[in-house]
Amino acid sequence: MSKFRRFGRLLAATTVSATIVVGAPVAFAQEDDVVDFSVTNITDFHGHLSSQETDAPDANSEMGAAKLKALIDYVNQDQEYIMTTSGDNVGGSAFVSAIADDEPTLDVLNILGVDVSAVGNHEFDRGYDDLLGRIVEKSDYPLLGANVTLNGEPMLDASYVQEIDGVKVGFVGTVTTLTKNKVAPSAVEGVEFSDPVDATNKEADRLKESGEADVVVALMHEDAQQYAAGFNNNVDILFGGDSHQRSQGIIERDGAQPLHWAQGHEYGKVLQDADISFNKDTGEIESVEITQYDRSMPEVEALAPDAEISARVAAAEAEAEELGAEVVGQMDRATFRGQDEGAGSGSNRGVESTLNSLIADANRASVAKATGADVDLGIMNAGGVRADLPKGDVTFQDVLTVQPFGNSIAYGTLTGQDILDALEAQWQPGSSRPRLALGLSAGFEYAYDPTAEQGQRVISATLDGEEIDPSAEYTVATSTFLFDGGDNFASLANVQNLTDVGSMDYSVLNDYIADGAEVQEG
């Protein structure tokens, strides 16, 4: 419900109440027992603190943390609200945050007034000790993981309840089961991620049946549209995340209120606000309306940024500018991530891209230079590439923005069959991203049939014109993330003679660009 419609509704309610006072005092008492409040949500913020400078802001423009705070206040004026996120607050972050270990973002989220958050897969990037220590300790709000266990025991709180005017609002947080594949497996050793829908339903049942909650909101770090139909009648509202999509819908249910669900894209581009009316006499929700706000709306663009957050972001930007200004090399042409037709760069991780291939080349060349090893193949995962590389001067900031995760680079031996199996594993049906295309260094080529059955799509693969021999051994350079089987490339974890070269992924790309990077054609 928009701010203006909300004001209209309040005015109408006041008029009705005044009429009822004269003729029907009982009805007036019932009106007094209807509580209006809202639950506000963002997802996949990833440390995008700064506003995107543009003369023509649209729905895809980043508003930045300071305007986001102003918008939160704007849509919730004269109304109680609870501020939430659906995970990936930090990790894989914008340069302004990544270069400072996400400390600015952890500060800003507290200033934003976040009340509760689901845990995202990127909160596990540096392992569960970092999550339970640094991230949890620096967050003035609970991070929930109802489907997360450590050595068989709950690792995080399953739910959180906050009361507004006598209405108990329960939140259940969950994270995608693919977390185990999206971070280095060594970072989550002993951690299990069960089905997020089942875990939410179970906790929602407990909250409602025990009387701990009147309303249950699911904060799920997984694609809302894909999973919404699985929630039971005790889940009233769902805010999704993880897949960086914008979506919204309503699912009608027999004998219960409809499930209202939404997902707010990424990077603070969209603020979601669920206006809820709850009747304490009947114990039922009377209405839910979710509105998604973005910079294409004139009233949003006109808001003055919050002063306190503006100051914190400015300090972070100044520090990042100083640290990132060093020019590391030159690019004679820009390189890009994969994209869907008509969509922005990076919108499709399932197609080959010049930038993925460039980083694969960098892994191969830099490891060979540093160690003297004869490296046959470099590999890069598309999910680890978070921005494009410009033509001309390339700075440290550019490179770290492209690769913000800080994975170590290593090399070792894989069989030809391991490599072929990794090619087949690019297709991952049933996931929110059914294909994850690997970047492969120059000289490696393969043919495939995308219509073939799972596991039988690769027709042929060659290295420097020679067919890959399934029984032969090849020296491969890539991140420890992939050698741990990350992104569900399990066969890469079969690596033998693994050697960590002691370099971070961004420094390897730095070195490659400094040495005069060559871009693969295609």
Side-chain angles (χ1 to χ4, degrees):
M1 176 183 309
S2 73
K3 167 181 174 287
F4 301 108
R5 292 179 63 188
R6 180 186 300 142
F7 282 160
R9 176 180 172 186
L10 290 173
L11 178 59
T14 302
T15 304
V16 171
S17 298
T19 304
I20 293 173
V21 168
V22 176
V26 175
F28 178 70
Q30 290 177 342
E31 184 74 20
D32 281 348
D33 282 339
V34 174
V35 177
D36 291 327
F37 64 95
S38 75
V39 176
T40 307
N41 177 267
I42 59 172
T43 190
D44 295 272
F45 188 59
H46 289 290
H48 282 246
L49 300 173
S50 302
S51 174
Q52 183 178 348
E53 298 300 324
T54 174
D55 293 331
D58 57 23
N60 199 44
S61 299
E62 296 179 31
M63 66 180 72
K67 185 180 285 290
L68 184 62
K69 172 59 174 170
L71 180 58
I72 292 168
D73 293 341
Y74 172 79
V75 302
N76 290 300
Q77 56 187 295
D78 302 319
Q79 179 171 254
E80 295 291 329
Y81 71 96
I82 302 171
M83 178 63 199
T84 71
T85 93
S86 297
D88 277 6
N89 301 322
V90 296
S93 296
F95 177 78
V96 65
S97 185
I99 200 168
D101 293 329
D102 278 320
E103 296 294 323
T105 297
L106 293 170
D107 289 345
V108 163
L109 290 169
N110 291 332
I111 303 171
L112 274 178
V114 174
D115 292 295
V116 59
S117 175
V119 69
N121 55 281
H122 279 288
E123 274 78 19
F124 288 90
D125 279 348
R126 299 186 183 183
Y128 59 79
D129 284 337
D130 180 68
L131 166 58
L132 295 175
R134 181 179 66 95
I135 294 176
V136 168
E137 289 174 5
K138 291 182 179 295
S139 300
D140 295 341
Y141 49 87
L143 285 93
L144 306 179
N147 66 328
V148 184
T149 58
L150 174 59
N151 298 323
E153 298 295 326
M155 184 179 137
L156 298 160
D157 289 340
S159 61
Y160 166 78
V161 177
Q162 186 165 322
E163 189 169 317
I164 293 182
D165 292 340
V167 180
K168 293 168 286 187
V169 187
F171 297 87
V172 182
T174 54
V175 64
T176 174
T177 57
L178 295 178
T179 300
K180 211 159 190 176
N181 306 122
K182 292 187 174 189
V183 301
S186 57
V188 289
E189 186 174 353
V191 182
E192 295 296 331
F193 304 91
S194 65
D195 185 283
V197 177
D198 289 346
T200 300
N201 287 339
K202 180 179 178 180
E203 184 65 6
D205 290 345
R206 189 192 71 77
L207 289 170
K208 288 282 186 76
E209 291 167 5
S210 67
E212 290 182 43
D214 302 308
V215 176
V216 171
V217 179
L219 304 173
M220 180 178 67
H221 194 70
E222 181 58 279
D223 186 77
Q225 187 165 17
Q226 182 175 350
Y227 289 92
F231 288 93
N232 68 20
N233 290 353
N234 281 327
V235 179
D236 301 301
I237 298 169
L238 163 65
F239 287 121
D242 184 54
S243 58
H244 292 235
Q245 299 296 309
R246 179 175 180 170
S247 55
Q248 184 176 0
I250 300 174
I251 296 177
E252 299 293 337
R253 304 185 288 196
D254 292 336
Q257 287 284 330
L259 173 68
H260 294 256
W261 63 268
Q263 185 165 319
H265 203 186
E266 63 188 4
Y267 309 156
K269 294 175 180 176
V270 174
L271 180 72
Q272 309 187 112
D273 189 63
D275 285 300
I276 305 159
S277 288
F278 184 86
N279 191 316
K280 291 195 290 185
D281 279 352
T282 64
E284 295 181 350
I285 293 173
E286 291 197 343
S287 67
V288 175
E289 187 169 356
I290 299 177
T291 304
Q292 295 182 322
Y293 296 86
D294 60 59
R295 285 183 66 185
S296 70
M297 302 173 178
E299 63 269 33
V300 174
E301 189 61 13
L303 292 172
D306 177 82
E308 182 180 6
I309 292 183
S310 291
R312 182 64 184 92
V313 172
E317 289 172 338
E319 179 183 9
E321 183 177 1
E322 181 179 352
L323 294 173
E326 177 186 356
V327 174
V328 299
Q330 299 277 330
M331 293 290 292
D332 59 8
R333 56 181 280 200
T335 53
F336 301 95
R337 296 163 291 162
Q339 66 182 72
D340 290 316
E341 184 176 355
S345 181
S347 57
N348 190 342
R349 298 181 186 178
V351 295
E352 291 79 7
S353 71
T354 55
L355 184 50
N356 235 21
S357 298
L358 176 75
I359 297 173
D361 286 335
N363 291 341
R364 178 187 182 190
S366 297
V367 168
K369 179 181 177 181
T371 66
D374 185 9
V375 181
D376 298 304
L377 177 64
I379 302 178
M380 182 59 196
N381 61 304
V385 186
R386 290 306 174 98
D388 304 322
L389 267 180
K391 177 181 178 180
D393 287 347
V394 177
T395 66
F396 178 69
Q397 177 173 347
D398 294 326
V399 173
L400 189 55
T401 300
V402 169
Q403 290 190 275
F405 297 109
N407 290 309
S408 297
I409 295 297
Y411 71 103
T413 54
L414 290 168
T415 67
Q417 189 61 56
D418 292 330
I419 295 170
L420 294 172
D421 289 344
L423 296 178
E424 293 285 359
Q426 294 174 110
W427 289 272
Q428 301 182 9
S431 99
S432 56
R433 293 189 177 94
R435 188 182 178 212
L436 294 173
L438 291 170
L440 302 161
S441 58
F444 188 94
E445 296 180 352
Y446 69 103
Y448 61 90
D449 178 1
T451 66
E453 294 183 10
Q454 178 71 10
Q456 300 178 25
R457 292 188 171 92
V458 176
I459 299 169
S460 65
T462 62
L463 180 63
D464 297 327
E466 298 289 331
E467 286 285 336
I468 293 294
D469 181 350
S471 62
E473 291 187 341
Y474 298 86
T475 301
V476 177
T478 190
S479 66
T480 51
F481 170 82
L482 281 180
F483 277 140
D484 273 343
D487 267 351
N488 218 28
F489 290 101
S491 68
L492 299 183
N494 296 331
V495 63
Q496 301 294 312
N497 307 313
L498 182 67
T499 301
D500 189 325
V501 299
S503 297
M504 306 304 284
D505 48 12
Y506 55 80
S507 66
V508 164
L509 183 56
N510 258 353
D511 294 344
Y512 189 63
I513 294 171
D515 288 342
E518 295 183 11
V519 181
Q520 293 185 41
E521 297 295 331

